Amino acid sequence: MMGDSTTALLVLDIGNSAVKGGWYTGSTLSEVFVEPYTSPGAPWVQRMQHRLQGQTWTRAGLVSVVPERQRVLAQMLRASAGAGLYEVDPQQPRILDMAYDTPATLGADRFAAAVAGWVRHGQTASPPRPVLVIDAGTAVTYEAVSRAGVYLGGAIAPGPGLLRRSLHEGTAQLPEVPLDVPPHTVGRSTQEALQAGLMWGLIDSVEGMVRRMRQTLGPDTAVVATGGWASRLAGEVEGVHVHEPHLVLDGVRLLMDDGALTPPG
Protein backbone atom coordinates (compact mmCIF):
# COMPACT_ATOMS: atom_id res chain seq x y z
CA MET A 1 0.00 0.00 0.00
CA MET A 2 1.42 3.35 -0.94
CA GLY A 3 -0.37 5.97 1.12
CA ASP A 4 -1.15 9.50 -0.02
CA SER A 5 1.35 11.48 2.06
CA THR A 6 -1.25 14.15 2.81
CA THR A 7 -4.05 11.90 4.01
CA ALA A 8 -2.69 8.48 5.00
CA LEU A 9 -3.36 7.31 8.55
CA LEU A 10 -1.84 4.19 10.09
CA VAL A 11 -3.79 2.55 12.93
CA LEU A 12 -2.61 -0.46 14.97
CA ASP A 13 -4.45 -2.70 17.43
CA ILE A 14 -1.89 -4.61 19.54
CA GLY A 15 -3.71 -7.67 20.84
CA ASN A 16 -2.78 -10.77 22.81
CA SER A 17 -2.10 -12.97 19.79
CA ALA A 18 -1.42 -10.57 16.89
CA VAL A 19 -1.07 -7.00 15.70
CA LYS A 20 -3.98 -5.88 13.54
CA GLY A 21 -3.38 -2.82 11.41
CA GLY A 22 -5.25 -0.60 9.02
CA TRP A 23 -4.47 2.15 6.53
CA TYR A 24 -7.00 4.96 6.27
CA THR A 25 -7.39 7.60 3.62
CA GLY A 26 -9.43 10.18 5.45
CA SER A 27 -12.17 8.16 7.13
CA THR A 28 -12.05 5.30 4.61
CA LEU A 29 -10.33 2.08 5.63
CA SER A 30 -8.45 1.02 2.51
CA GLU A 31 -6.40 -1.93 3.74
CA VAL A 32 -6.28 -4.25 6.77
CA PHE A 33 -3.49 -6.61 7.79
CA VAL A 34 -2.88 -9.04 10.63
CA GLU A 35 0.60 -9.94 11.87
CA PRO A 36 0.54 -12.90 14.33
CA TYR A 37 3.30 -13.03 16.92
CA THR A 38 3.95 -16.74 16.38
CA SER A 39 4.06 -16.98 12.57
CA PRO A 40 7.00 -18.99 11.14
CA GLY A 41 9.96 -17.13 9.72
CA ALA A 42 11.28 -13.83 11.00
CA PRO A 43 10.33 -12.52 14.46
CA TRP A 44 7.20 -10.40 14.50
CA VAL A 45 9.14 -7.16 15.03
CA GLN A 46 11.14 -7.76 11.85
CA ARG A 47 7.97 -8.63 9.95
CA MET A 48 6.36 -5.39 11.10
CA GLN A 49 9.45 -3.40 10.08
CA HIS A 50 9.34 -5.01 6.65
CA ARG A 51 5.61 -4.27 6.32
CA LEU A 52 6.07 -0.58 7.16
CA GLN A 53 9.24 -0.11 5.13
CA GLY A 54 8.75 2.41 2.35
CA GLN A 55 5.28 3.44 3.50
CA THR A 56 4.31 7.04 4.22
CA TRP A 57 1.73 8.37 6.63
CA THR A 58 0.94 11.70 8.19
CA ARG A 59 -0.36 10.36 11.51
CA ALA A 60 -0.32 7.09 13.40
CA GLY A 61 -2.38 5.78 16.28
CA LEU A 62 -2.33 2.64 18.34
CA VAL A 63 -4.26 0.81 21.00
CA SER A 64 -2.75 -1.99 23.04
CA VAL A 65 -3.39 -4.60 25.69
CA VAL A 66 0.30 -5.64 25.77
CA PRO A 67 2.42 -2.80 27.24
CA GLU A 68 5.85 -4.17 26.25
CA ARG A 69 4.83 -4.65 22.60
CA GLN A 70 3.21 -1.22 22.68
CA ARG A 71 6.54 0.34 23.66
CA VAL A 72 8.37 -1.52 20.87
CA LEU A 73 5.90 -0.47 18.18
CA ALA A 74 5.66 3.12 19.41
CA GLN A 75 9.44 3.44 19.08
CA MET A 76 9.31 1.82 15.63
CA LEU A 77 6.62 4.19 14.39
CA ARG A 78 8.44 7.28 15.55
CA ALA A 79 11.72 6.07 14.05
CA SER A 80 10.10 5.05 10.76
CA ALA A 81 8.19 8.20 9.97
CA GLY A 82 9.04 10.92 12.44
CA ALA A 83 5.31 11.64 12.60
CA GLY A 84 3.17 12.32 15.63
CA LEU A 85 1.70 9.32 17.41
CA TYR A 86 -1.59 8.96 19.27
CA GLU A 87 -1.82 6.23 21.94
CA VAL A 88 -5.30 5.57 23.30
CA ASP A 89 -5.51 6.23 27.05
CA PRO A 90 -8.87 5.73 28.82
CA GLN A 91 -7.59 7.94 31.65
CA GLN A 92 -7.84 10.84 29.21
CA PRO A 93 -11.28 10.10 27.77
CA ARG A 94 -12.47 11.85 24.64
CA ILE A 95 -15.74 11.70 22.73
CA LEU A 96 -17.38 9.70 25.56
CA ASP A 97 -17.82 10.91 29.12
CA MET A 98 -16.44 8.49 31.70
CA ALA A 99 -18.46 6.90 34.51
CA TYR A 100 -16.11 3.95 35.04
CA ASP A 101 -14.74 3.91 38.60
CA THR A 102 -11.25 2.69 37.62
CA PRO A 103 -10.26 4.10 34.20
CA ALA A 104 -6.62 3.28 34.93
CA THR A 105 -7.53 -0.42 34.70
CA LEU A 106 -9.78 -0.12 31.65
CA GLY A 107 -8.40 -1.80 28.54
CA ALA A 108 -7.67 0.78 25.85
CA ASP A 109 -9.10 -1.55 23.20
CA ARG A 110 -12.36 -1.74 25.14
CA PHE A 111 -12.61 2.04 25.22
CA ALA A 112 -11.79 2.39 21.51
CA ALA A 113 -14.51 -0.14 20.61
CA ALA A 114 -17.02 1.70 22.79
CA VAL A 115 -16.18 5.02 21.13
CA ALA A 116 -16.67 3.66 17.60
CA GLY A 117 -19.85 1.81 18.55
CA TRP A 118 -21.33 4.97 20.05
CA VAL A 119 -20.36 7.29 17.17
CA ARG A 120 -21.52 4.89 14.46
CA HIS A 121 -24.67 3.44 16.00
CA GLY A 122 -25.73 5.55 18.99
CA GLN A 123 -24.90 9.19 18.44
CA THR A 124 -26.10 9.20 14.83
CA ALA A 125 -29.48 7.62 15.60
CA SER A 126 -32.52 9.85 15.82
CA PRO A 127 -32.98 10.15 18.72
CA PRO A 128 -29.61 8.93 20.05
CA ARG A 129 -29.78 5.47 21.60
CA PRO A 130 -27.68 3.39 23.99
CA VAL A 131 -25.05 1.06 22.57
CA LEU A 132 -23.73 -2.31 23.70
CA VAL A 133 -20.49 -3.42 22.01
CA ILE A 134 -19.52 -7.09 22.19
CA ASP A 135 -15.88 -7.82 21.34
CA ALA A 136 -15.56 -11.60 21.04
CA GLY A 137 -11.97 -12.75 20.78
CA THR A 138 -9.55 -14.21 23.31
CA ALA A 139 -11.90 -12.74 25.89
CA VAL A 140 -15.52 -11.73 25.36
CA THR A 141 -16.02 -8.17 26.54
CA TYR A 142 -19.17 -6.08 26.79
CA GLU A 143 -19.06 -2.27 26.66
CA ALA A 144 -22.12 -0.23 27.68
CA VAL A 145 -22.66 3.37 26.56
CA SER A 146 -25.70 5.38 27.61
CA ARG A 147 -27.86 7.32 25.19
CA ALA A 148 -26.18 10.48 26.54
CA GLY A 149 -22.75 9.24 25.43
CA VAL A 150 -21.44 8.14 28.81
CA TYR A 151 -19.21 5.07 29.08
CA LEU A 152 -20.82 3.12 31.91
CA GLY A 153 -18.65 0.00 32.08
CA GLY A 154 -19.26 -3.57 31.02
CA ALA A 155 -18.32 -7.17 31.62
CA ILE A 156 -15.45 -9.53 30.77
CA ALA A 157 -15.71 -13.28 30.19
CA PRO A 158 -13.39 -15.94 28.71
CA GLY A 159 -13.62 -16.69 25.01
CA PRO A 160 -13.98 -20.23 23.66
CA GLY A 161 -10.24 -20.63 23.07
CA LEU A 162 -9.45 -19.96 26.72
CA LEU A 163 -12.20 -22.31 27.85
CA ARG A 164 -10.95 -25.04 25.52
CA ARG A 165 -7.42 -24.70 26.88
CA SER A 166 -8.67 -24.76 30.46
CA LEU A 167 -10.61 -27.98 29.87
CA HIS A 168 -7.67 -29.62 28.14
CA GLU A 169 -5.06 -28.59 30.73
CA GLY A 170 -7.28 -29.13 33.76
CA THR A 171 -8.44 -32.66 32.94
CA ALA A 172 -6.70 -35.95 32.26
CA GLN A 173 -8.59 -37.16 29.18
CA LEU A 174 -10.32 -34.27 27.42
CA PRO A 175 -8.61 -33.36 24.12
CA GLU A 176 -8.36 -29.97 22.43
CA VAL A 177 -10.97 -29.87 19.67
CA PRO A 178 -11.67 -27.60 16.68
CA LEU A 179 -13.85 -24.66 17.70
CA ASP A 180 -16.71 -25.49 15.33
CA VAL A 181 -20.41 -25.56 16.12
CA PRO A 182 -21.40 -29.26 16.10
CA PRO A 183 -24.43 -30.55 14.18
CA HIS A 184 -26.23 -31.57 17.39
CA THR A 185 -26.76 -29.84 20.72
CA VAL A 186 -26.41 -33.24 22.35
CA GLY A 187 -22.91 -34.30 21.37
CA ARG A 188 -22.67 -37.84 19.99
CA SER A 189 -18.93 -38.10 20.64
CA THR A 190 -16.49 -36.56 23.08
CA GLN A 191 -15.43 -34.08 20.39
CA GLU A 192 -19.03 -33.05 19.66
CA ALA A 193 -19.81 -32.85 23.39
CA LEU A 194 -16.89 -30.48 23.94
CA GLN A 195 -17.81 -28.42 20.89
CA ALA A 196 -21.42 -28.18 22.01
CA GLY A 197 -20.42 -26.99 25.47
CA LEU A 198 -17.89 -24.50 24.18
CA MET A 199 -19.71 -23.03 21.19
CA TRP A 200 -23.37 -23.21 22.18
CA GLY A 201 -22.29 -22.17 25.66
CA LEU A 202 -20.66 -19.07 24.14
CA ILE A 203 -23.72 -18.23 22.06
CA ASP A 204 -26.18 -18.72 24.92
CA SER A 205 -24.06 -16.78 27.41
CA VAL A 206 -23.87 -13.82 25.02
CA GLU A 207 -27.63 -13.93 24.48
CA GLY A 208 -28.14 -13.88 28.24
CA MET A 209 -25.78 -10.95 28.75
CA VAL A 210 -27.44 -8.97 25.96
CA ARG A 211 -30.81 -9.53 27.60
CA ARG A 212 -29.54 -8.48 31.03
CA MET A 213 -27.72 -5.38 29.79
CA ARG A 214 -30.72 -4.23 27.82
CA GLN A 215 -32.67 -4.26 31.08
CA THR A 216 -30.21 -1.60 32.29
CA LEU A 217 -29.56 0.36 29.09
CA GLY A 218 -33.04 0.22 27.53
CA PRO A 219 -34.92 -1.88 24.95
CA ASP A 220 -33.77 0.32 22.05
CA THR A 221 -30.10 -0.45 22.69
CA ALA A 222 -28.04 -1.01 19.53
CA VAL A 223 -25.97 -4.19 19.87
CA VAL A 224 -22.75 -4.27 17.85
CA ALA A 225 -20.45 -7.30 17.55
CA THR A 226 -16.76 -7.22 16.69
CA GLY A 227 -13.75 -9.51 17.15
CA GLY A 228 -12.82 -12.92 15.79
CA TRP A 229 -16.05 -14.64 16.84
CA ALA A 230 -18.35 -11.77 15.88
CA SER A 231 -19.55 -13.24 12.59
CA ARG A 232 -20.67 -16.37 14.41
CA LEU A 233 -22.48 -14.33 17.06
CA ALA A 234 -24.16 -12.10 14.48
CA GLY A 235 -25.60 -15.19 12.82
CA GLU A 236 -26.73 -16.98 15.98
CA VAL A 237 -27.43 -14.46 18.76
CA GLU A 238 -30.85 -12.87 18.67
CA GLY A 239 -30.60 -9.13 19.12
CA VAL A 240 -27.17 -8.48 17.56
CA HIS A 241 -27.90 -5.68 15.11
CA VAL A 242 -24.65 -5.41 13.18
CA HIS A 243 -21.24 -7.01 12.71
CA GLU A 244 -18.37 -4.47 12.59
CA PRO A 245 -15.11 -6.42 12.09
CA HIS A 246 -12.82 -3.37 12.33
CA LEU A 247 -14.55 -1.46 15.14
CA VAL A 248 -11.46 -1.08 17.35
CA LEU A 249 -9.40 0.32 14.47
CA ASP A 250 -12.14 2.82 13.70
CA GLY A 251 -12.31 3.82 17.36
CA VAL A 252 -8.60 4.63 17.29
CA ARG A 253 -9.10 6.70 14.14
CA LEU A 254 -11.96 8.64 15.72
CA LEU A 255 -9.92 9.30 18.85
CA MET A 256 -6.97 10.40 16.70
CA ASP A 257 -9.18 12.93 14.96
CA ASP A 258 -10.47 14.18 18.30
CA GLY A 259 -7.21 14.09 20.27
CA ALA A 260 -3.78 15.62 20.20
CA LEU A 261 -0.78 13.74 18.85
CA THR A 262 2.41 13.38 20.84
CA PRO A 263 5.36 14.88 19.00
CA PRO A 264 8.07 12.73 17.43
CA GLY A 265 11.17 11.96 19.44
Side-chain angles (χ1 to χ4, degrees), residues 167-193:
L167 282 171
H168 174 64
E169 294 177 354
T171 61
Q173 296 186 5
L174 293 180
E176 287 200 70
V177 299
L179 292 174
D180 301 321
V181 176
H184 312 286
T185 305
V186 178
R188 298 179 182 177
S189 66
T190 299
Q191 174 169 312
E192 286 188 0

Side-chain angles (χ1 to χ4, degrees), residues 10 100 197 218 223:
L10 171 62
Y100 203 59
V223 181

Side-chain angles (χ1 to χ4, degrees), residues 129-216:
R129 58 182 180 172
V131 172
L132 175 62
V133 174
I134 305 166
D135 191 343
T138 303
V140 181
T141 62
Y142 304 83
E143 315 307 334
V145 182
S146 75
R147 69 179 71 249
V150 178
Y151 178 79
L152 302 175
I156 305 172
L162 287 177
L163 291 173
R164 176 181 62 178
R165 188 186 315 158
S166 177
L167 282 171
H168 174 64
E169 294 177 354
T171 61
Q173 296 186 5
L174 293 180
E176 287 200 70
V177 299
L179 292 174
D180 301 321
V181 176
H184 312 286
T185 305
V186 178
R188 298 179 182 177
S189 66
T190 299
Q191 174 169 312
E192 286 188 0
L194 283 166
Q195 290 173 325
L198 291 168
M199 300 310 296
W200 288 117
L202 168 70
I203 290 164
D204 287 352
S205 69
V206 172
E207 278 192 341
M209 288 298 291
V210 169
R211 183 175 65 253
R212 287 178 179 274
M213 289 201 170
R214 273 189 164 155
Q215 292 173 357
T216 297

Side-chain angles (χ1 to χ4, degrees), residues 1 15 34 42 105 123 169 177-178 220 225 229 238 251:
M1 180 267 184
V34 177
T105 68
Q123 186 181 49
E169 294 177 354
V177 299
D220 61 334
W229 297 104
E238 183 178 353

